[in-house]
Amino acid sequence: TIVSVLKNIDRPGWLEGKRVLVTAGPTQEKIDPVRYFTNPSTGKMGFALAGEAARLGAAVTLVTGPVQLDTPPGVDRVDVTTAEEMYQAVHDRFGTQDIVIKSAAVADYRPAITYDHKMKKQPGDYVVEMERTKDILKTLGKEKKHQFLLGFAAETTNPLGYGKEKLEKKNLDAIVVNNVAVEGAGFGHETNAAIYINRNFEETELPMMSKQQLAQHIFNQIKLDITHE
Amino acid sequence: TIVSVLKNIDRPGWLEGKRVLVTAGPTQEKIDPVRYFTNPSTGKMGFALAGEAARLGAAVTLVTGPVQLDTPPGVDRVDVTTAEEMYQAVHDRFGTQDIVIKSAAVADYRPAITYDHKMKKQPGDYVVEMERTKDILKTLGKEKKHQFLLGFAAETTNPLGYGKEKLEKKNLDAIVVNNVAVEGAGFGHETNAAIYINRNFEETELPMMSKQQLAQHIFNQIKLDITHE
């Protein structure tokens, strides 16, 4: 709208001139052409964050797994399917970014073997051998120099304790913890409730709100953290 | 529109007074709250078939796995998630149906154990023990009396041979075979190419067309088969 355009002219976004990379959505890890492992991420939180970063003036890259969402205006979108493709897409672009937000729900395991043709049913049970995928956040945490690195944690038990542990172990600048066991929060919902924890372990509670609003609050927190450094 | 309503009054659909059940979409088989096993079915073919059956005058029940599609007008929709729920929903309704079309891509395996809480990552690899789900089509084939039972086969190797074997082994009245390895056919696409095989092993090729058009052709074939019996 005209109002928001004028507002932007009056007060340019604080991310003007910055590069922001956001990851979103699930990954899919194939057993064969018609069977795969995945998770219930719809990508809504990541897409809201990418859209908000663009509104704040950043040059935004959105690396996303398979989702049913329209790309936010002004956002450069990169589509990937697997955890390995997600790793490559993010790693290749990491050096030039100012802020990286990893909201994708990347599979931590994938089938050790992917068959080119549909597996035939066999009598009885079978086992799928799984292997670990690369830990993208940990790699970025090790390699980061000037970048502000934000992770997400979606836990059903002790989310706060786990979030702090992840923040420290992966050398993040902040983590957004949401408890996916709470009604209306997390995967697939329009709303979310979360706690933002910065590297000083300061917690900011972000109560149940729309994912759009939560995206605004998260960037407010990032701004506070970057300004105070 | 008024035109189509008048057309219906002039020439009532041949499925007037019939009950048709269509299954659609994938199923999801959970490992834990944030990990599951699934397949790339979008439900488009099944939804097109349900919509077409309703236009032809049938009382239609659509039993569908998790998909991102609007229910066709005049169709009674039943949402399920797992293969077991799909089995129950279909089996409970089978006795009263005239035509049953199983276009859902039901998982034939599911994790033997589903965890209530998110599994923590462990060092190293792990195996997922899988067990067979119930074979819905085979059960219906055994129990069917007056019903016309149509199955689907999505194969990447020897689709025709496999389709005929499935038709016979599961006591179907017809099978629609599509080769998901052909560009533009099958999962997720707007178009599909298939071969309709009836219980006399007569094959009718249905070349690449929209899933809406394919649904019309499939009902034409069913009509021919039912009329000739």
Side-chain angles (χ1 to χ4, degrees):
Chain A
T1 68
I2 289 167
V3 173
S4 63
V5 168
L6 288 175
K7 204 174 151 196
N8 281 341
I9 290 168
D10 282 349
R11 199 170 47 167
W14 71 277
L15 290 176
E16 208 75 51
K18 300 278 183 191
R19 300 182 70 84
V20 174
L21 186 146
V22 179
T23 70
T27 65
Q28 295 177 351
E29 312 298 331
K30 278 186 187 175
I31 296 179
D32 67 23
V34 296
R35 293 179 177 92
Y36 59 84
F37 284 99
T38 191
N39 65 67
S41 170
T42 56
K44 283 174 190 162
M45 191 66 239
F47 275 59
L49 286 161
E52 180 60 18
R55 274 189 295 276
L56 293 170
V60 183
T61 305
L62 172 61
V63 180
T64 182
V67 296
Q68 308 267 342
L69 295 171
D70 295 325
T71 310
V75 166
D76 180 25
R77 173 171 174 168
V78 179
D79 285 292
V80 299
T81 302
T82 65
E84 181 62 27
E85 289 166 9
M86 178 73 81
Y87 175 88
Q88 290 301 336
V90 174
H91 194 253
D92 288 354
R93 290 164 177 84
F94 186 56
T96 59
Q97 303 299 320
D98 297 296
I99 298 174
V100 172
I101 302 182
K102 259 207 79 272
S103 75
V106 178
D108 31 31
Y109 291 94
R110 69 171 163 232
I113 301 167
T114 300
Y115 296 93
D116 287 342
H117 288 285
K118 184 178 170 183
M119 241 176 26
K120 280 282 169 294
K121 273 182 275 193
Q122 306 294 339
D125 304 341
Y126 89 110
V127 299
V128 183
E129 289 185 43
M130 304 287 275
E131 63 186 17
R132 287 288 293 274
T133 59
K134 287 179 190 142
D135 190 328
I136 303 176
L137 207 47
K138 199 172 171 183
T139 307
L140 301 184
K142 271 184 196 158
E143 295 182 1
K144 90 184 161 86
K145 297 189 175 82
H146 59 283
Q147 295 95 335
F148 187 93
L149 183 58
L150 176 79
F152 270 74
E155 291 300 313
T156 56
T157 42
N158 187 19
L160 212 53
Y162 176 77
K164 287 179 185 172
E165 192 188 315
K166 186 171 175 178
L167 174 72
E168 193 153 43
K169 219 162 67 179
K170 304 208 175 170
N171 190 30
L172 309 180
D173 295 288
I175 193 162
V176 175
V177 174
N178 52 68
N179 186 342
V180 296
V182 171
E183 190 66 35
F187 290 130
H189 292 280
E190 296 300 330
T191 52
N192 206 354
I195 295 166
Y196 179 100
I197 311 173
N198 70 11
R199 61 187 311 163
N200 303 324
F201 284 171
E202 290 162 351
E203 301 170 18
T204 306
E205 204 178 329
L206 305 169
M208 189 76 75
M209 59 182 96
S210 76
K211 288 184 176 178
Q212 294 296 340
Q213 289 173 305
L214 191 59
Q216 290 173 16
H217 280 277
I218 288 170
F219 275 106
N220 282 344
Q221 293 301 319
I222 294 174
K223 190 180 180 183
L224 286 173
D225 283 338
I226 287 181
T227 312
H228 288 169
E229 267 168 15
Chain B
T1 68
I2 289 167
V3 172
S4 63
V5 169
L6 288 175
K7 205 174 147 194
N8 281 342
I9 290 168
D10 283 348
R11 199 170 48 165
W14 72 277
L15 289 176
E16 210 73 52
K18 300 278 184 192
R19 300 183 69 85
V20 175
L21 186 146
V22 179
T23 70
T27 66
Q28 296 177 351
E29 311 299 330
K30 276 187 186 175
I31 297 178
D32 68 23
V34 296
R35 292 179 178 90
Y36 60 85
F37 177 61
T38 191
N39 64 67
S41 170
T42 55
K44 284 175 190 162
M45 191 66 240
F47 275 59
L49 286 160
E52 181 60 17
R55 275 189 294 276
L56 292 169
V60 183
T61 305
L62 172 61
V63 181
T64 182
V67 297
Q68 308 268 342
L69 295 171
D70 295 327
T71 311
V75 166
D76 180 27
R77 173 172 175 168
V78 179
D79 285 292
V80 299
T81 301
T82 65
E84 180 63 26
E85 288 166 9
M86 177 74 78
Y87 174 88
Q88 291 300 339
V90 174
H91 194 255
D92 288 353
R93 290 163 177 83
F94 186 56
T96 59
Q97 303 299 319
D98 298 295
I99 298 174
V100 172
I101 302 182
K102 259 208 77 270
S103 75
V106 179
D108 31 30
Y109 291 94
R110 68 171 163 231
I113 301 167
T114 299
Y115 297 93
D116 286 344
H117 288 285
K118 183 177 170 184
M119 242 178 24
K120 281 281 170 294
K121 274 182 275 194
Q122 306 294 339
D125 304 341
Y126 88 110
V127 299
V128 182
E129 289 186 42
M130 305 286 276
E131 63 185 16
R132 288 288 292 274
T133 58
K134 287 180 190 140
D135 190 329
I136 303 176
L137 207 47
K138 199 172 171 183
T139 307
L140 301 184
K142 271 185 196 156
E143 295 182 1
K144 89 184 162 86
K145 296 189 176 81
H146 60 283
Q147 296 95 336
F148 186 93
L149 182 60
L150 176 80
F152 271 73
E155 290 300 313
T156 56
T157 43
N158 186 21
L160 211 53
Y162 176 77
K164 287 178 184 172
E165 192 188 315
K166 185 170 176 178
L167 174 71
E168 193 153 42
K169 219 162 67 180
K170 305 208 174 169
N171 191 29
L172 310 180
D173 295 287
I175 192 161
V176 174
V177 174
N178 53 67
N179 186 341
V180 296
V182 171
E183 191 64 38
F187 290 131
H189 292 280
E190 295 300 331
T191 53
N192 206 354
I195 295 165
Y196 178 100
I197 311 173
N198 70 12
R199 61 189 310 162
N200 302 323
F201 284 171
E202 291 162 350
E203 301 169 16
T204 306
E205 205 178 327
L206 305 169
M208 189 74 77
M209 60 183 95
S210 76
K211 289 184 175 177
Q212 295 295 340
Q213 289 173 305
L214 191 60
Q216 291 173 16
H217 280 276
I218 289 170
F219 275 106
N220 283 344
Q221 293 300 318
I222 294 173
K223 190 181 180 183
L224 287 172
D225 283 339
I226 288 180
T227 313
H228 287 168
E229 268 167 13

